[in-house]
Amino acid sequence: MKLSPAVCFFMLLFHRTQAFSYDYSATSKCLTEPQRAQYRGGTIKNPDFDHGIDGWTVFGHGSIIEGTSKDGNKYIIAKDRTQPLDGLSQMVQFEQRQIYSFSAWVQVNEGSEDVSVVFRIDGKDLIRAGKVIARNGCWSFLKGGVTANYSSPVDVLFESKNMRTEVWIDSVSLQAFTKEQWKSHQETIIAKERKSKVRIEVNYANGTAVEGAIVATKQTKSDFPLGCAMNHHILESTDYQNWFASRFKYTTFTNEMKWYSTEIIQGQENYTVADSMLKFCKEKGIFIRGHNVFWDDPKYQPKWVVNLSSDELRTAAAKRINSVVPRYKGQLIAWDVVNENLHFSFFEDKLGRNASFEFYVRAYQLDPSTVMFMNEYNTIEYCGDEKVSPANYIKKLEDMLSYPGIQGISAGIGLQGHFGLGQPNLAYMRSSIDYLGSAGLPIWLTEVSVANDPDQAQHLEEVLREGYSHPAVKGIIMFMGPAMAGFNETPLAHNNFSNTPAGDIVDKLLHEWNSQTTKTETDAKGLSEILLNHGEHSITVEHRLTNSLKTFSYNVTKRARGATLHVQVNG
């Protein structure tokens, strides 16, 4: 029999509009029995196959049969397949602008294979909406989703490219949400994960409660990093410096720390620009993510590196890492050690399949206190790039973390987040972060940008809110900036530093998440309860009758949830 989910990933008990919470920690686990379908299947008919194959049909060639576990759980087996999409199918109706969250539990009859959910739109266009590595002997959770661009009938299909494999399927769900519902869910999670209620009790010296005392709070520092990239133009423009420092306390240099910038000519290292930018950041209290030690894309090597022999490259790479990492030791909050080593393999092809892992070992030895990140694009923004699916990302990460010499490293998951034209696929973004978050490592969105289209500002807000609302995301860096510095894809400011629409969105969110102010009065028991963003707050308690004024700082954290602060005023 199927397991009842102890904690639903999206708990929406009876009404889709009801507030929900979810636990993503088990998303990548493999279970002996599947959980029942989320949302009771949503729009899917017979989602748990309690009624055999009623509501389901065969797609393509092959056959589908009913399977039963030793505990009596019913599921469907797709077998005798001759094409990747052969197997189980059900037709549903998509409605334009609805966000569709998909999930299912899958298994294969031997070994392990990639299994994807594919939506066939109006009988022709195929959209891959999620993938998992399914295994024999346990059930894996396949999760994904899509935003419907137009109303259409849709075939829900399952894809496995190894036609010898039997694909077992159970607990299928497809749940539709309006954008308003989706945003409401985000706000519910934000209130739960990014805020805490603080009780302030005001009394006279004799213990008598003070009614009507004014409690005012002003946030002075946020616990959540929302930062922005910068480039060398900041050294040339006071206006750029003022624009940046008045908004952001976290950054990544776009190119200035990369190998092709610091050693243009072999043997002639030059860190002048990066050092000057680092000095500016220190003066302004801005924290820096190091980007990057190496880049695995062959197009982005120093020109002189490309034609080196394997031995020459090994020597040059050792010189590079032994130079740049100690130079900035203890001055960065992160290093992208090998950028995009799922998409590309320049160093692995030249130096052996473990080249990336060896670089992580060396970076850890040279700077053991800094978090070392993998950093990839398309893992959350584009479900069609199978190389960097969440499952493949986790597999590469696990291989890296099990490599000799790397035990004890502080590792992180870097997701670039370069979103293309059109509506961002928020359902896929969330499902991907769920899967990656189950690894228990800090996730950062490291290079967020959105394509320049008429709805750019709206899309940017949707992406940033989705990242901020996910408990596994510990920080966001946007690869954006003022137009005068060449940030033309997602400019936040015009050449005169007035805001673009995207810049207005960023300022709005900075104010909402980093600059909270409140004012309340104590009740008859002398109590005031306030929901505050996590971070440092200046709290002022004023009793007008006695002209008593108390001001103090308090750091609101998740651990401090429900704390009562006792304040004594003059009587």
Side-chain angles (χ1 to χ4, degrees):
M1 61 186 296
K2 297 180 180 69
L3 298 174
S4 297
V7 183
C8 247
F9 302 106
F10 294 95
M11 188 172 292
L12 208 65
L13 297 178
F14 300 107
H15 301 287
R16 290 185 302 172
T17 56
Q18 185 174 332
F20 73 98
S21 61
Y22 65 95
D23 173 15
Y24 56 87
S25 61
T27 304
S28 64
K29 292 181 180 177
C30 208
L31 305 182
T32 55
E33 292 285 359
Q35 296 180 346
R36 295 195 72 84
Q38 292 185 320
Y39 318 113
R40 301 179 180 177
T43 61
I44 294 292
K45 299 175 183 176
N46 189 22
D48 292 305
F49 304 108
D50 294 333
H51 307 290
I53 62 171
D54 182 42
W56 297 88
T57 60
V58 175
F59 182 84
H61 300 284
S63 59
I64 57 176
I65 61 173
E66 184 179 314
T68 305
S69 74
K70 63 181 182 180
D71 292 326
N73 175 51
K74 294 181 180 180
Y75 54 91
I76 292 298
I77 300 172
K79 57 186 298 185
D80 304 322
R81 299 178 309 110
T82 60
Q83 298 294 327
L85 290 173
D86 287 352
L88 193 65
S89 174
Q90 184 172 135
M91 181 175 285
V92 298
Q93 179 66 32
F94 272 10
E95 299 298 333
Q96 188 175 14
R97 294 179 57 81
Q98 297 271 311
I99 299 172
Y100 288 88
S101 179
F102 176 87
S103 63
W105 290 87
V106 296
Q107 187 175 167
V108 292
N109 64 321
E110 59 182 16
S112 63
E113 296 290 342
D114 292 347
V115 177
S116 302
V117 58
V118 178
F119 297 135
R120 188 173 72 153
I121 310 295
D122 204 19
K124 47 187 179 181
D125 297 330
L126 299 178
I127 298 177
R128 284 168 180 80
K131 186 181 88 167
V132 73
I133 300 174
R135 298 172 176 83
N136 174 248
C138 62
W139 292 90
S140 297
F141 193 53
L142 170 59
K143 191 175 182 184
V146 70
T147 301
N149 292 326
Y150 49 85
S151 299
S152 171
V154 173
D155 292 304
V156 179
L157 308 172
F158 295 87
E159 179 183 59
S160 177
K161 295 180 179 179
N162 183 352
M163 270 67 74
R164 297 189 304 273
T165 298
E166 292 181 2
V167 180
W168 301 3
I169 302 161
D170 202 354
S171 303
V172 185
S173 174
L174 184 70
Q175 178 64 59
F177 299 91
T178 65
K179 281 194 172 184
E180 293 73 23
Q181 289 170 336
W182 198 266
K183 186 175 179 180
S184 174
H185 300 160
Q186 289 173 339
E187 293 304 315
T188 299
I189 301 168
I190 289 169
K192 178 177 181 291
E193 299 293 336
R194 307 290 185 200
K195 300 180 179 184
S196 292
K197 282 185 178 179
V198 175
R199 286 160 51 94
I200 297 174
E201 181 179 328
V202 184
N203 294 300
Y204 295 117
N206 63 5
T208 304
V210 178
E211 182 178 3
I214 305 300
V215 179
T217 71
K218 179 177 176 56
Q219 187 173 0
T220 57
K221 183 180 177 182
S222 173
D223 269 3
F224 186 86
L226 176 59
C228 187
M230 70 167 64
N231 63 26
H232 65 277
H233 289 288
I234 204 162
L235 301 176
E236 307 158 2
S237 169
T238 302
D239 288 339
Y240 187 5
Q241 294 173 10
N242 293 337
W243 176 88
F244 195 100
S246 66
R247 287 168 170 81
F248 304 112
K249 293 300 180 185
Y250 293 83
T251 194
T252 301
F253 302 167
T254 55
N255 292 299
E256 289 74 13
M257 282 187 177
K258 292 173 182 172
W259 196 5
Y260 61 60
S261 296
T262 62
E263 195 174 359
I264 298 172
I265 299 172
Q266 186 174 9
Q268 298 182 22
E269 292 182 329
N270 187 342
Y271 291 98
T272 304
V273 176
D275 286 352
S276 297
M277 292 170 67
L278 180 77
K279 180 175 182 290
F280 165 75
C281 289
K282 283 184 175 181
E283 291 171 351
K284 300 298 183 180
I286 298 167
F287 299 94
I288 305 165
R289 295 190 75 260
H291 181 71
N292 49 56
V293 179
F294 295 110
W295 197 344
D296 235 344
D297 189 338
K299 292 190 302 183
Y300 295 108
Q301 306 304 322
K303 291 182 179 178
W304 57 269
V305 163
V306 178
N307 294 317
L308 295 179
S309 69
S310 295
D311 288 343
E312 291 170 335
L313 177 61
R314 185 171 282 105
T315 299
K319 182 173 179 289
R320 158 66 177 174
I321 198 169
N322 289 326
S323 171
V324 71
V325 176
R327 185 180 194 88
Y328 299 115
K329 178 181 179 181
Q331 302 179 80
L332 308 175
I333 61 171
W335 262 119
D336 296 330
V337 179
V338 185
N339 199 42
E340 299 172 2
N341 64 344
L342 276 169
H343 270 110
F344 306 106
S345 57
F346 174 80
F347 292 99
E348 288 80 359
D349 294 342
K350 294 273 191 176
L351 304 178
R353 62 188 298 269
N354 294 321
S356 285
F357 303 157
E358 291 167 3
F359 292 146
Y360 278 91
V361 171
R362 185 57 181 155
Y364 171 48
Q365 292 171 344
L366 293 168
D367 190 3
S369 63
T370 298
V371 184
M372 306 293 175
F373 278 76
M374 288 176 55
N375 192 46
E376 269 295 354
Y377 65 92
N378 280 352
T379 302
I380 59 171
E381 60 265 47
Y382 178 54
C383 57
D385 193 342
E386 297 186 52
K387 278 187 177 181
V388 290
S389 70
N392 285 342
Y393 192 115
I394 288 291
K395 185 175 185 303
K396 182 83 170 186
L397 180 65
E398 289 174 344
D399 289 345
M400 187 262 283
L401 293 176
S402 65
Y403 192 73
I406 219 155
Q407 289 71 26
I409 192 173
S410 295
I413 295 172
L415 308 171
Q416 293 180 17
H418 295 295
F419 290 83
L421 292 169
Q423 173 64 47
N425 188 348
L426 301 180
Y428 182 75
M429 179 181 176
R430 182 176 296 182
S431 68
S432 298
I433 298 175
D434 282 351
Y435 192 93
L436 295 162
S438 66
L441 298 176
I443 293 176
W444 279 60
L445 310 189
T446 56
E447 304 180 19
V448 172
S449 66
V450 296
N452 196 348
D453 68 16
D455 296 319
Q456 182 182 56
Q458 174 191 325
H459 295 161
L460 175 60
E461 180 172 4
E462 290 171 347
V463 167
L464 293 178
R465 286 192 183 278
E466 188 62 42
Y468 182 70
S469 69
H470 201 291
V473 175
K474 305 306 180 185
I476 299 174
I477 303 291
M478 301 171 288
F479 255 42
M480 308 171 191
M484 64 77 60
F487 292 97
N488 298 316
E489 180 70 12
T490 316
L492 298 180
H494 298 293
N495 285 329
N496 64 357
F497 287 93
S498 63
N499 273 3
T500 64
D504 284 337
I505 290 297
V506 171
D507 280 355
K508 180 179 78 169
L509 295 180
L510 284 169
H511 179 77
E512 182 180 330
W513 299 339
N514 298 353
S515 305
Q516 183 184 19
T517 60
T518 69
K519 184 175 284 189
T520 62
E521 289 190 16
T522 55
D523 61 17
K525 296 180 179 180
L527 294 174
S528 173
E529 189 172 74
I530 314 168
L531 185 64
L532 296 176
N533 294 335
H534 291 164
E536 294 179 8
H537 293 256
S538 174
I539 301 177
T540 299
V541 178
E542 179 183 3
H543 185 30
R544 293 172 178 169
L545 294 179
T546 61
N547 293 320
S548 178
L549 191 70
K550 293 286 183 72
T551 299
F552 57 96
S553 295
Y554 185 68
N555 188 26
V556 180
T557 67
K558 198 169 185 179
R559 288 189 297 272
R561 181 168 290 154
T564 299
L565 307 181
H566 300 278
V567 180
Q568 181 179 304
V569 298
N570 297 328

